[in-house]
Amino acid sequence: MRTELLLAEADALLARGRAHNAERLLAPFVGREPENVGAWHRMARARLDLGDLPGALLAAQAAWHLDPYSPESLFWLSHSRSRLGDHAEAIAAASAACREDPGNPRLHNRLAEAQLAAGLPTDAAEGLRCVVDMAHYDADLHVTYGLALFAVGRPLSAREALGRALAIDFGHARARAALREFDRAMSAAVDAASLALAADEFAESLRIHPGGQQARRPGRDALGHVARVALIWFVAAIAGVGILEATGLLVAPTSLYLSLFCAAGAAGCMSNLARPVS
């Protein structure tokens, strides 16, 4: 009974976004009971939430070695492999999970996510085409299907899929975030060629490269570039005003220096925030 209560507490912590507390709770437990598969599943999830990808893979492998045919063990093994960019292994594990429990939409969703991360949106869209009809009640599945459809150049069908997700769960955060991404991607699409380019860029943004680094988003890159250029100009302006004042050609008020320093600081902060996450 104590084990069940501990695992339930770990579930509650993970649901509230307190992965660090869940990991600290589970660490001594898996040391005492390393044969507990459920504890390893939760440990893998906690470490993924914390960004500890090697640690998450170790936990997922521990669960898989204990129960290699468990769909849940295969799910977390696939999830960990995807985040690390080991796509062939991630897709193989997700496919095996679907074979073990073919009626579970969560597993089909994991397989599609693994395919999107591998840069295979056509496979993801085709694989979900029938699944979304059978699991029409699953909002997450419709969102992933929408992402895959947009990535293969079908924006109208993609929006329909997200609309179905929002009809199921009006506040679905992932669906709303996807709609914002669609609007951003479509802002520059004016003909078939630019639509194809927008779809390709969107598909690339979903990819995870080996080592666990997600592709950089074009919007973030542009923001970082503008911020860096602005920072250079503001620093140059500060230096220029200082030189002019030192030579007696200009008497600069303190407010001018203050404004330039504030602007340079803001540009520097924006440039730092727009850097890719390692």
Side-chain angles (χ1 to χ4, degrees):
M1 185 62 181
R2 184 176 180 277
T3 296
E4 293 175 2
L5 289 174
L6 186 142
L7 295 182
E9 184 178 354
D11 286 335
L13 290 169
L14 290 167
R16 295 199 300 269
R18 297 171 60 183
H20 181 69
N21 298 90
E23 200 269 347
R24 287 199 302 175
L25 176 70
L26 291 166
F29 178 74
V30 294
R32 294 192 306 269
E33 297 187 26
E35 74 286 351
N36 191 301
V37 178
W40 284 116
H41 292 160
R42 291 160 176 83
M43 180 67 84
R45 177 183 171 183
R47 288 175 174 172
L48 282 170
D49 288 350
L50 292 170
D52 179 9
L53 304 185
L57 179 60
L58 288 174
Q61 287 175 324
W64 179 71
H65 284 304
L66 290 166
D67 191 356
Y69 299 105
S70 164
E72 190 71 8
S73 297
L74 290 164
F75 175 92
W76 291 112
L77 182 63
S78 173
H79 207 326
S80 301
R81 288 291 191 186
S82 275
R83 290 279 298 274
L84 283 164
D86 301 331
H87 298 304
E89 295 87 346
I91 292 172
S95 298
C98 291
R99 289 194 297 271
E100 293 296 325
D101 187 3
N104 190 333
R106 178 168 169 261
L107 303 178
H108 290 282
N109 191 62
R110 169 86 287 274
L111 175 58
E113 288 178 336
Q115 291 165 333
L116 287 173
L120 302 171
T122 302
D123 292 351
E126 187 61 28
L128 289 180
R129 185 167 57 87
C130 296
V131 179
V132 292
D133 291 332
M134 294 185 294
H136 56 86
Y137 53 84
D138 192 297
D140 290 334
L141 204 64
H142 286 295
V143 175
T144 304
Y145 188 41
L147 297 176
L149 288 171
F150 196 95
V152 297
R154 297 174 57 189
L156 295 180
S157 298
R159 286 184 177 276
E160 289 176 6
L162 293 186
R164 288 191 290 271
L166 291 172
I168 298 167
D169 180 2
F170 184 73
H172 199 287
R174 191 160 158 255
R176 295 194 173 279
L179 282 174
R180 290 193 295 271
E181 283 296 314
F182 289 178
D183 289 338
R184 183 201 60 75
M186 288 296 292
S187 63
V190 294
D191 53 22
S194 57
L195 173 60
L197 179 60
D200 289 344
E201 289 181 347
F202 183 77
E204 179 63 23
S205 75
L206 299 176
R207 289 189 63 194
I208 298 176
H209 296 288
Q213 183 174 345
Q214 190 148 13
R216 296 176 68 180
R217 307 235 176 203
R220 185 176 181 136
D221 287 345
L223 177 62
H225 175 72
V226 170
R228 287 190 293 273
V229 171
L231 176 61
I232 292 170
W233 278 106
F234 284 130
V235 171
I238 293 169
V241 170
I243 292 171
L244 290 174
E245 190 169 24
T247 57
L249 298 175
L250 175 71
V251 178
T254 305
S255 59
L256 177 60
Y257 280 109
L258 182 60
S259 298
L260 288 173
F261 276 114
C262 287
C269 289
M270 192 65 69
S271 175
N272 185 62
L273 290 172
R275 289 186 308 171
V277 180
S278 61

